[in-house]
Amino acid sequence: MRLLALLLMACLPISNAGGDHDHGHGNSEEVQPSTFDVTWMIPTAHTHSDGGDEVHHDMTVELGEGKRLSVRVNDVVNIAWTNSPEDHDLQSLAGADELSGCNFTGAEEMVAPKTTGSYTLETSQPVTYYLSCKTAGHCAAKQKLIVEVTAVASSASARFRPGQKSFLTWALSVSALVGVWWTGVL
């Protein structure tokens, strides 16, 4: 009779097996990509070419010396400027030292100089971009941004969430019950 009670108690944790996982039926807790819009400009108040007053732009992503934007793999990073009174371009510099010193040697031109432009960064794998504008004086005026693309947590680590039943939980339950039964407590 003790053995039957032990077996029934050991099977209880399995009765919920299959209830805490996803087979692609829309219940996934998978992290969805985020979108970041970067207004590419010198990060200070400036005037527009129409002679208007100074205009402060809402910058959700700050530009400047040492400014960083951390994103995950497959997030979307849009960099754009519209109707600028002077040309901007987008350059990816070789590293942090080059960005700090406004050294464009070996830089990759992502967008050629123009008054309106846009670019979407490649974020399919971990990488760090050191971005600046090569237009005379813009880098020195701190039109800079470091974008760090980091890996998303592996699916294996995401599979086991607190409260989720697993084989390990079942095995530990059985071990505890066998130990209790063996000592004659049940």
Side-chain angles (χ1 to χ4, degrees), residues 15 40-41 53 58 68 79 96 102 108 126 148 160 181:
S15 66
W40 195 236
M41 58 182 267
D53 295 329
D58 179 28
R68 294 177 182 272
I79 300 170
C102 295
E108 175 188 353
E148 298 170 319
F160 295 101
W181 176 72

Side-chain angles (χ1 to χ4, degrees), residues 74-154:
N74 295 325
D75 279 350
V76 178
V77 180
N78 298 312
I79 300 170
W81 60 100
T82 307
N83 299 323
S84 174
E86 55 188 353
D87 286 347
H88 290 293
D89 67 1
L90 182 62
Q91 303 276 332
S92 179
L93 284 73
D97 290 340
E98 288 79 4
L99 183 62
S100 179
C102 295
N103 178 356
F104 289 89
T105 303
E108 175 188 353
E109 182 178 72
M110 301 171 115
V111 178
K114 50 185 158 182
T115 58
T116 296
S118 65
Y119 188 83
T120 300
L121 286 178
E122 171 61 43
T123 62
S124 63
Q125 61 187 4
V127 64
T128 300
Y129 293 99
Y130 301 93
L131 305 173
S132 190
C133 179
K134 193 175 179 181
T135 300
H138 289 199
C139 183
K142 298 179 182 29
Q143 187 174 351
K144 305 175 180 184
L145 180 63
I146 300 168
V147 178
E148 298 170 319
V149 181
T150 58
V152 177
S154 73

Side-chain angles (χ1 to χ4, degrees), residues 22 26-32 158 161:
D22 181 38
N27 295 326
S28 176
E29 292 183 26
E30 192 173 304
V31 177
Q32 296 299 315
R161 298 180 301 273

Side-chain angles (χ1 to χ4, degrees), residues 2-23:
R2 274 194 261 176
L3 182 57
L4 179 60
L6 174 66
L7 288 174
L8 286 174
M9 290 175 70
C11 290
L12 284 176
I14 318 175
S15 66
N16 196 18
D20 269 352
H21 67 281
D22 181 38
H23 289 288

